[in-house]
Amino acid sequence: MSQKGPAMRFDKVIRYGTVVTASDTFKSDVGIKEGRIAALAGALTEADEIIDATGLYVMPGGIDSHVHLDQPSGEGIVMADDFESGTRSAAIGGNSTVLTFCMQEKGQSLREALRLYHAKAEGRCHIDVSFHLVVTDPTPEVLGQELPALVADGYTSIKVFMTYDGLRLRDDEILATLDAARRTGALVMVHCENEDAIRYLIGRHEAEGQVEPRYHAATRPIAAEREATHRALSLAEIVDTPVVIVHVSNRQAMEEIRRARQRGQKIAGETCPQYLMLTSEDLDADALEGAKYVCSPPPRDKESQSACWEGIEQGVFDLFASDHCPFRFDDPAGKLNEKGRRHFRWIPNGIPGVATRLPILFSEGVMKGRIDLNRFVAVTSTNHAKLYGLYPRKGTIAIGADADIALWDPDMQITLTNEMLRHGADYTPYEGLAVRGWPVRVMVRGTTVAKDGHLCDSRRGGSYLHRTLSSLTRNAGNGNRNRG
Ligand code: DUC
Ligand code: ZN
Ligand code: ZN
């Protein structure tokens, strides 16, 4: 493993730890110079700072590729995290990079949307960030002129919605967007739920006076997600374009991914902590407490939880992301806004989770023997870097990579409380959950940003990351790009 002689002097050395990557686990010191990993070897002693990692795992910092920060969320509603608080919370939970969303308004150019989101993020981020483009208005100019130029500038992923008025695209618009993505190499993430079915069910429950939070889950059934997943995959097949199916909540949607792959399609799948840890019964909580768990797709049942675990274990899911989409609970600008108190359809969709994603998977997955350490690193960091064009700069412990490192203490036992997560929400869905394993230090490009649960670098030194093409589209592109 040694690449450098012992005479080299480092800025920092992490000593005595166990390095874990997506493929290997080995004892090694890690030498860091000018923000990058410069050596992996035994007995690196020459450094300005020696960090003792005895008993700790030295892992790539978490990359959370599905995070919402400072997004407009409807009249009078305010997202609970901006780029400062969201990246602070992410760092405390073991992350060194987050990918957030830049939302195009109807009639707005993608460039203009990006200008606004860069202004929101500039100088406020504690860790590195990059944006996915949410395409809500796929005009010929947007798809034919803007998108190719933006992909060339390193904005290499987009998201489309099949649900929500104002956001959803029709099937022909999705096809046009996928086609444009194929030509440019952009990777498309799809939110799969059947809007018409949901709207119909909302009307039916509303007519019966059934407007409590629990009806959020009842009006977004598994079949509505499965149908949209099947349709998204079919549209992707028709124009031969890779896609990521995000926030998969249940077995039926997951099996659609498996089947599409068996047909030869290039598909990535993502699931999230809420689909392992919560069920629709949480939305049944007393009074309006259920509003805390309103997210889309909604949490399902125990069988769906088992299916999602199976998908992580068996590789159907490449990505384990938080879908952090935080709103305060007891707040007129949050879950319990005036209209939301009276009808579930006005409760903003989303739950906080950027700080709890990694500890939950480490504790419930690794420590309970469901997945090994290497799979943990793959689904929480390496695969995010590969799929979203950050690899090998990010997502691994290797010479030349950014020194984005999380030191994990596998023996630390923590009971989660909202206060320790340092996000802007006034609750966590996981209050009181006991976890084993905690990221005791998080470094971004060699600088320690969080230590022992506290932010310890107030410089807000996070950078914006321009990205290369996805591993999924780069490979698919050989025969496809520039065709048609
Ligand atoms: N989709 C997301 O990806 N996040 C929050 C809400 C939603 O519908
Ligand atoms: Zn979504
Ligand atoms: Zn989301």
Side-chain angles (χ1 to χ4, degrees):
M1 280 290 168
S2 179
Q3 300 283 312
K4 300 278 178 192
M8 184 171 187
R9 186 167 180 87
F10 302 99
D11 300 332
K12 290 177 186 152
V13 163
I14 301 170
R15 294 216 66 193
Y16 311 119
T18 300
V19 173
V20 184
T21 69
S23 54
D24 299 297
T25 306
F26 53 96
K27 283 268 185 198
S28 179
D29 294 348
V30 180
I32 297 169
K33 205 165 172 57
E34 292 169 1
R36 296 195 175 202
I37 296 171
L40 292 170
L44 300 176
T45 53
E46 296 299 308
D48 295 347
E49 184 185 352
I50 301 275
I51 296 164
D52 186 344
T54 304
L56 305 182
Y57 293 124
V58 182
M59 295 186 173
I63 301 176
D64 192 340
S65 60
H66 191 149
V67 173
H68 302 263
L69 300 177
D70 207 351
Q71 258 180 233
S73 304
E75 210 184 314
I77 304 297
V78 180
M79 195 165 262
D81 279 316
D82 62 8
F83 281 84
E84 194 281 320
S85 63
T87 58
R88 175 181 69 202
S89 183
I92 284 164
N95 299 284
S96 49
T97 298
V98 287
L99 276 70
T100 66
F101 293 87
C102 165
M103 180 77 79
Q104 178 197 27
E105 305 283 334
K106 288 256 191 234
Q108 187 182 44
S109 71
L110 293 173
R111 284 275 181 207
E112 175 60 6
L114 276 169
R115 196 184 61 75
L116 296 172
Y117 277 82
H118 274 292
K120 291 171 191 252
E122 180 67 33
R124 297 184 65 74
C125 297
H126 296 284
I127 64 175
D128 287 352
V129 300
S130 194
F131 301 149
H132 306 291
L133 303 164
V134 179
V135 174
T136 62
D137 200 2
T139 63
E141 292 74 39
V142 165
L143 297 182
Q145 289 166 31
E146 281 209 287
L147 192 63
L150 288 169
V151 171
D153 286 351
Y155 301 95
T156 54
S157 52
I158 60 188
K159 182 178 178 189
V160 298
F161 284 84
M162 299 174 87
T163 184
Y164 302 126
D165 266 342
L167 294 182
R168 73 186 279 206
L169 303 188
R170 297 186 314 264
D171 289 355
D172 63 322
E173 293 174 320
I174 294 174
L175 282 166
T177 306
L178 289 169
D179 227 351
R182 178 177 51 73
R183 288 193 296 269
T184 57
L187 182 61
V188 182
M189 311 158 80
V190 192
H191 179 132
C192 302
E193 287 184 290
N194 181 316
E195 174 67 17
D196 289 344
I198 291 164
R199 206 143 11 114
Y200 179 78
L201 290 174
I202 290 174
R204 210 169 77 178
H205 283 283
E206 210 168 50
E208 299 292 320
Q210 296 168 334
V211 292
E212 294 82 14
R214 74 173 67 113
Y215 293 104
H216 171 79
T219 54
R220 307 184 88 94
I222 285 175
E225 183 182 343
R226 184 202 62 222
E227 183 281 328
T229 304
H230 180 81
R231 186 157 35 102
L233 291 167
S234 302
L235 298 175
E237 182 184 6
I238 288 165
V239 289
D240 194 13
T241 307
V243 288
V244 185
I245 304 296
V246 293
H247 45 50
V248 175
S249 72
N250 68 87
R251 184 177 299 281
Q252 295 184 28
M254 179 176 94
E255 293 304 338
E256 294 291 342
I257 295 174
R258 238 200 273 258
R259 275 195 286 274
R261 281 198 186 131
Q262 279 162 5
R263 290 193 293 270
Q265 288 185 249
K266 289 192 183 299
I267 308 298
E270 175 201 274
T271 193
C272 313
Q274 48 272 36
Y275 307 120
L276 304 179
M277 304 301 292
L278 305 177
T279 69
S280 58
E281 285 183 19
D282 290 298
L283 280 88
D284 266 336
D286 286 347
L288 290 170
E289 279 284 306
K292 288 181 176 175
Y293 309 95
V294 165
C295 61
S296 297
R300 307 294 185 183
D301 53 15
K302 291 274 173 206
E303 204 302 296
S304 299
Q305 291 182 341
S306 306
C308 290
W309 275 115
E310 215 179 284
I312 291 171
E313 290 157 22
Q314 297 177 358
V316 185
F317 298 125
D318 312 275
L319 301 168
F320 185 69
S322 68
D323 196 3
H324 179 79
C325 187
F327 298 97
R328 292 176 61 79
F329 172 64
D330 195 5
D331 192 313
K335 296 280 190 182
L336 299 190
N337 65 84
E338 203 196 328
K339 289 198 282 185
R341 286 174 176 275
R342 286 187 270 117
H343 195 311
F344 67 88
R345 63 183 294 193
W346 300 108
I347 298 171
N349 259 274
I351 59 177
V354 76
T356 44
R357 171 185 77 123
L358 297 169
I360 285 175
L361 190 67
F362 193 93
S363 185
E364 295 290 318
V366 177
M367 299 312 284
K368 293 192 175 170
R370 288 171 162 131
I371 56 171
D372 65 17
L373 286 164
N374 310 105
R375 181 94 189 118
F376 173 81
V377 170
V379 297
T380 59
S381 182
T382 312
N383 292 351
H384 300 247
K386 288 181 175 176
L387 282 164
Y388 293 114
L390 290 169
Y391 191 84
R393 177 178 169 193
K394 305 284 191 188
T396 191
I397 305 281
I399 291 167
D402 281 358
D404 290 358
I405 294 171
L407 301 185
W408 280 80
D409 181 346
D411 295 320
M412 186 170 279
Q413 310 222 29
I414 299 271
T415 300
L416 297 177
T417 65
N418 187 56
E419 206 183 342
M420 68 175 58
L421 305 177
R422 301 292 312 282
H423 54 203
D426 55 353
Y427 77 100
T428 167
Y430 311 109
E431 186 74 33
L433 180 72
V435 293
R436 202 163 138 224
W438 192 257
V440 290
R441 184 191 286 258
V442 180
M443 303 170 92
V444 177
R445 285 173 284 105
T447 299
T448 298
V449 292
K451 188 163 176 290
D452 300 327
H454 299 285
L455 196 75
C456 56
D457 177 60
S458 55
R459 291 173 313 126
R460 303 180 182 188
S463 291
Y464 184 83
L465 302 170
H466 294 271
R467 293 176 281 123
T468 58
L469 292 187
S470 167
S471 54
L472 208 60
T473 64
R474 207 180 314 133
N475 298 333
N478 295 339
N480 295 341
R481 215 158 321 117
N482 304 324
R483 197 189 69 188

